[in-house]
Amino acid sequence: MTRKKVLTTCIYCGCGCQFYLDVEKNKIKGVFPSQNHPVSQSALCVKGWNAGEFVNHPDRLTDPLIKENGMFRKASWDEALNLVVKKLIETRDKYGNDSVAFFGSAKCTNEENYLIMKLARAVFKTNNIDHCARLCHASTVAGLALSFGSGAMTNSISCFDEAELYLITGSNTTEQHPLIGSRMIKNLREKKADCVVIDPRKIKLTKFAKYHLKQNCGTDVAWMNGLMHVIIKEGLENKDFIRDHTENYEELKKTIEKYTPEYVEKITSIPAQQLKEVALLYAAKKSMIIYSMGITQHTTGVDNVRSCANLAMLTGNIGKVGTGVNPLRGQNNVQGSCDVGALPNVYCGYQAVTNEAIREKFEKAWKVKGLPANIGLTVTTVPDAILQDKVKALYVMGENPMVSDPNTSHLEKALLKCPFLVVQDIFLTETAQYANVVFPGTSFAEKDGTFTSTERRVERIRKAVEPIGNAKPDWKILCEIADHCGYKFDYASPKEVMDEMAQMAPIYGGITYDRKEMEKGFGLQWPCPTKDHPGTTFLHKDGNFTRGKGLFFGIEYKPPAETGLDNKDYPLTLTTGRSYFHWHTRTLTGRTSTLEREVPENYIEINPEDAKKYKVRKGSMIKVSSLRGSIEARALVSDIVKPGTVFMPFHFAISAANRLTNDALDPIAKIPEYKVCAVKIGEDK
Ligand code: SF4
């Protein structure tokens, strides 16, 4: 077989870089960046360069597995499919449609997520379909939809070259979205932009920042209200924009009256004078707000996101290049999984399941009757539903909640109790070990499909090598399950699934695989409603919001839900995040030698002042406990974190930060409060 190069999209972060897989004899020999791609621009980060290594890892699942007497044995596809379908149907028929739940996956393609949501809705008549966007940006989807009418990054990565100021909060951009981070550093070095970092932790971009404001964890609404208080007091609000393009301004103005910089300092620890200076800087410039999970993973996640939207609208920093509210989505296809409806409240294209006309449209297209009108369970509410005997069967495609979910011990109880658990993945993950049946799926290199990046760019992935062993592409497994249920998923390839999605979701209406081979390999940014539409670089152009007028909300600061904060026995606040060398739950990066050797184990960052106070030696293993559990982790003594705050990456199954974190939820988005966890260090008294 000759050597070939196959253009595809990176499996890791939401930047959506494209590269070529260099393939010989059905093996990936290397990875080369696309020269002309608008994001990659001839570069990749360390994860991208090594994205081919895990594909041939010896741990790959090659056959279906069925658990008997606590042990897995290999099974044929027929046996495993028959068992799964029999159990799912039996459960549905005995306990009702909502006794079955499905998790899609931000690692899988748009087409696969569309199919699993269609399987849940059309075949099992349940809206119990969700995926891990619930754990990262559910508050973005809900919050920006409320404020603007569209829950996605408003601008594009190219817009970073046009901004005069980056206001970065809760995003360690260089580690989590490396190619966006390096673009920002280039612009900062060349003095094309200024930057302000608002984060309890030092990040690489802090070096270039005019200001680094270190807020107390969980006080974001307060400092954003403080910025807006100063802007209005100084008469720097954009009066024309507010009058012509927004509503409910008076409510915002009234709410933020009391958020003087001095009042905000008491809540946030941000010095009043610095807050004032940052407010003036933000209002004076063409400014972009850039945020990630530091803003979203709170019980006030939706409030935090709507506060970002308030700030942008107040100054008219929206609907133009170089401005906007820019949530950086973490995983390769977390944007797309939301777009195609792997959510409990919407079909593809964010069409509400509660809307009768929309349900009729899908019933007609899918040739079914009785699509459910109730909003389904989320990834974060399924565990309690299992423990309360409401959910009796769970189907997990490509997710690893045993590492990614908060308060893991609680989830573990639920998985142990769940009468029937199916996991479809490429490795026997920590979650798969609890399964009754495991289906071997395929990696990004072994199938066709599309991912949608953080900037709404829908891009192709292309099959470069044959699947390992008897593994099958995830879309094919879903088709076979539907077929075994007696509902024909009649797709010859993912292309046909995309054609159906384009028909059903207006924002994807003009996107097809054929369209000049997806616009010469660069993809298309939604909304792209028709075949001749060029795609959309930035949303809400000239203040024409998706919902009509932008909606201000008057939002009061509410303290975090974490009860441990009031408990003197838990004096430190743990916040969690990512490492440059790892991704999500390490199922892939933990099987990539170059990445694994850089950061082989978990650690806890602790400020030297706290290290002295609690007698922690650099490099020692220390016990870390919260109200929910205890772990041991290696101490990394550093002033990266401020005194009183400690930090851990969440990627690791051993020393798992999520054994400690809080599963209290935002009331609207149902996202957990990962970012504020009261802990103590050292041995129990
Ligand atoms: Fe992949 Fe993100 Fe790195 Fe680009 S920046 S190569 S998309 S991990």
Side-chain angles (χ1 to χ4, degrees):
M1 194 188 284
T2 53
R3 210 157 173 145
K4 61 177 180 181
K5 287 188 176 146
V6 181
L7 183 63
T8 195
T9 307
C10 183
I11 180 66
Y12 290 121
C13 86
C15 287
C17 297
Q18 288 225 321
F19 50 63
Y20 292 90
L21 290 173
D22 181 14
V23 176
E24 189 179 39
K25 293 185 184 158
N26 202 38
K27 289 276 181 300
I28 297 168
K29 298 286 179 187
V31 171
F32 301 98
S34 164
Q35 300 292 310
N36 304 314
H37 187 267
V39 180
S40 321
Q41 296 183 316
S42 313
L44 295 173
C45 78
V46 69
K47 289 194 283 285
W49 278 111
N50 292 285
E53 189 179 326
F54 68 84
V55 173
N56 289 312
H57 195 280
D59 289 352
R60 281 288 304 272
L61 293 168
T62 56
D63 294 275
L65 302 174
I66 292 176
K67 196 180 270 170
E68 275 174 1
N69 303 320
M71 303 286 285
F72 284 118
R73 67 164 172 84
K74 284 187 183 177
S76 70
W77 274 102
D78 260 355
E79 186 189 8
L81 281 166
N82 284 332
L83 175 63
V84 166
V85 168
K86 178 173 163 276
K87 286 282 189 185
L88 292 180
I89 288 177
E90 263 175 24
T91 305
R92 179 195 64 187
D93 293 348
K94 190 162 174 197
Y95 300 104
N97 299 344
D98 288 341
S99 64
V100 182
F102 295 83
F103 292 171
S105 172
K107 288 200 267 300
C108 292
T109 63
N110 287 322
E111 294 75 3
E112 289 157 352
N113 280 288
Y114 178 85
L115 290 180
I116 196 166
M117 83 94 176
K118 186 171 173 180
L119 181 70
R121 291 181 163 132
V123 181
F124 286 89
K125 304 283 167 56
T126 179
N127 285 320
N128 288 347
I129 167 71
D130 200 19
H131 73 286
C132 62
R134 187 66 48 201
L135 308 174
C136 60
H137 274 280
S139 19
T140 292
V141 178
L144 292 187
L146 289 166
S147 296
F148 299 155
S150 175
M153 181 169 169
T154 62
N155 286 56
S156 289
I157 295 168
S158 60
C159 283
F160 283 73
D161 298 344
E162 310 288 333
E164 293 170 351
L165 180 79
Y166 305 136
L167 192 159
I168 306 155
T169 182
S171 158
N172 190 354
T173 322
T174 54
E175 302 244 338
Q176 295 154 15
H177 296 87
L179 275 246
I180 296 178
S182 54
R183 195 168 192 137
M184 290 163 84
I185 287 178
K186 181 171 175 289
N187 289 333
L188 291 165
R189 280 206 171 114
E190 292 173 4
K191 310 277 181 228
K192 288 184 182 159
D194 284 329
C195 117
V196 169
V197 174
I198 305 181
D199 201 300
R201 192 164 167 257
K202 240 186 229 174
I203 58 173
K204 199 167 177 186
L205 287 166
T206 314
K207 207 165 73 183
F208 302 91
K210 269 195 164 3
Y211 296 91
H212 176 199
L213 310 185
K214 297 178 191 174
Q215 81 275 41
N216 296 333
C217 295
T219 61
D220 302 294
V221 166
W223 65 257
M224 282 191 263
N225 278 352
L227 291 182
M228 290 187 276
H229 175 98
V230 175
I231 288 167
I232 294 176
K233 190 153 178 258
E234 297 294 326
L236 296 173
E237 74 276 24
N238 187 329
K239 295 180 184 68
D240 292 346
F241 187 88
I242 294 166
R243 184 193 59 232
D244 297 341
H245 301 297
T246 69
E247 52 194 359
N248 210 28
Y249 175 58
E250 288 308 315
E251 183 186 297
L252 172 82
K253 202 171 161 188
K254 193 159 167 247
T255 308
I256 62 175
E257 244 169 52
K258 73 173 186 233
Y259 289 84
T260 62
E262 294 71 27
Y263 175 62
V264 170
E265 181 173 345
K266 283 190 197 128
I267 301 169
T268 63
S269 303
I270 294 173
Q273 184 56 30
Q274 286 190 12
L275 190 87
K276 280 184 211 166
E277 290 169 18
V278 168
L280 302 186
L281 191 61
Y282 177 81
K285 301 245 183 192
K286 189 158 65 163
S287 301
M288 285 185 114
I289 298 172
I290 296 137
Y291 73 80
S292 198
M293 300 194 303
I295 282 294
T296 57
Q297 290 181 329
H298 293 273
T299 41
T300 55
V302 173
D303 285 353
N304 292 351
V305 169
R306 288 187 295 178
S307 297
C308 292
N310 282 344
L311 184 56
M313 289 191 289
L314 183 69
T315 50
N317 270 314
I318 184 86
K320 297 184 283 206
V321 289
T323 65
V325 179
N326 297 287
L328 302 182
R329 309 296 295 263
Q331 296 197 61
N332 57 317
N333 195 35
V334 73
Q335 180 66 54
S337 308
C338 294
D339 297 345
V340 304
L343 293 171
N345 59 336
V346 288
Y347 297 103
C348 53
Y350 304 97
Q351 301 172 85
V353 297
T354 49
N355 182 318
E356 196 178 340
I358 299 285
R359 285 201 307 280
E360 280 171 10
K361 168 177 146 179
F362 279 86
E363 283 175 354
K364 199 167 159 210
W366 290 348
K367 299 185 178 56
V368 292
K369 285 209 175 359
L371 287 178
N374 61 314
I375 292 173
L377 294 167
T378 63
V379 160
T380 47
T381 53
V382 162
D384 274 341
I386 294 171
L387 291 169
Q388 292 159 11
D389 285 323
K390 291 177 186 156
V391 166
K392 300 273 192 181
L394 175 61
Y395 192 112
V396 179
M397 175 178 80
E399 299 252 314
N400 191 11
M402 270 306 293
V403 181
S404 62
D405 283 23
N407 193 4
T408 320
S409 307
H410 181 70
L411 172 73
E412 192 171 29
K413 274 188 214 145
L415 294 187
L416 285 169
K417 178 169 182 175
C418 188
F420 193 64
L421 174 65
V422 185
V423 173
Q424 177 175 322
D425 213 306
I426 66 171
F427 293 110
L428 194 67
T429 61
E430 287 76 11
T431 306
Q433 288 165 25
Y434 291 79
N436 299 87
V437 179
V438 179
F439 286 133
T442 44
S443 75
F444 78 116
E446 299 156 305
K447 61 189 175 188
D448 287 308
T450 55
F451 294 155
T452 304
S453 75
T454 187
E455 58 170 351
R456 298 168 279 101
R457 188 181 296 278
V458 185
E459 301 183 281
R460 281 293 314 277
I461 65 161
R462 295 179 178 84
K463 182 176 166 181
V465 290
E466 290 302 320
I468 296 241
N470 293 314
K472 292 189 184 191
D474 298 80
W475 68 270
K476 248 190 181 154
I477 300 171
L478 296 168
C479 288
E480 289 183 14
I481 290 170
D483 290 352
H484 276 66
C485 291
Y487 183 104
K488 190 92 186 134
F489 270 11
D490 203 6
Y491 306 100
S493 71
K495 176 190 175 304
E496 293 181 6
V497 184
M498 174 56 89
D499 290 343
E500 183 173 313
M501 289 195 293
Q503 273 176 26
M504 301 307 294
I507 57 173
Y508 275 54
I511 300 176
T512 71
Y513 283 20
D514 303 328
R515 193 176 147 167
K516 287 203 217 111
E517 206 19 28
M518 200 80 111
E519 298 295 290
K520 292 193 221 134
F522 296 169
L524 280 159
Q525 286 177 279
W526 68 257
C528 178
T530 57
K531 300 265 188 305
D532 54 0
H533 191 285
T536 305
T537 312
F538 59 92
L539 304 175
H540 321 304
K541 190 163 188 270
D542 303 326
N544 296 313
F545 288 95
T546 309
R547 69 178 295 281
K549 288 197 166 185
L551 183 59
F552 281 113
F553 289 91
I555 298 168
E556 293 285 2
Y557 161 72
K558 294 183 208 89
E562 170 65 307
T563 49
L565 291 176
D566 305 326
N567 185 335
K568 287 196 178 51
D569 286 341
Y570 296 89
L572 298 167
T573 305
L574 168 72
T575 189
T576 63
R578 290 186 166 111
S579 149
Y580 175 57
F581 294 97
H582 285 293
W583 185 74
H584 207 233
T585 65
R586 277 176 72 257
T587 49
L588 312 182
T589 53
R591 291 178 173 92
T592 303
S593 55
T594 316
L595 304 175
E596 183 63 358
R597 81 170 164 246
E598 291 294 328
V599 184
E601 64 172 7
N602 211 358
Y603 57 87
I604 180 163
E605 288 172 358
I606 177 164
N607 184 276
E609 257 181 48
D610 289 325
K612 196 169 164 202
K613 190 166 164 187
Y614 299 106
K615 298 186 177 51
V616 169
R617 277 176 302 112
K618 189 176 166 187
S620 61
M621 288 298 280
I622 57 171
K623 186 171 179 182
V624 190
S625 307
S626 76
L627 286 169
R628 291 155 293 274
S630 293
I631 56 165
E632 287 202 338
R634 198 165 297 286
L636 198 159
V637 179
S638 156
D639 68 353
I640 290 173
V641 281
K642 65 178 198 165
T645 303
V646 290
F647 169 88
M648 290 184 79
F650 65 78
H651 308 292
F652 292 82
I654 295 170
S655 301
N658 282 330
R659 288 271 169 198
L660 308 172
T661 49
N662 193 357
D663 50 358
L665 302 178
D666 177 286
I668 299 173
K670 310 287 183 214
I671 192 170
E673 190 175 80
Y674 288 103
K675 289 293 191 271
V676 191
C677 171
V679 294
K680 61 182 170 183
I681 54 178
E683 290 299 321
D684 277 324
K685 286 175 198 157

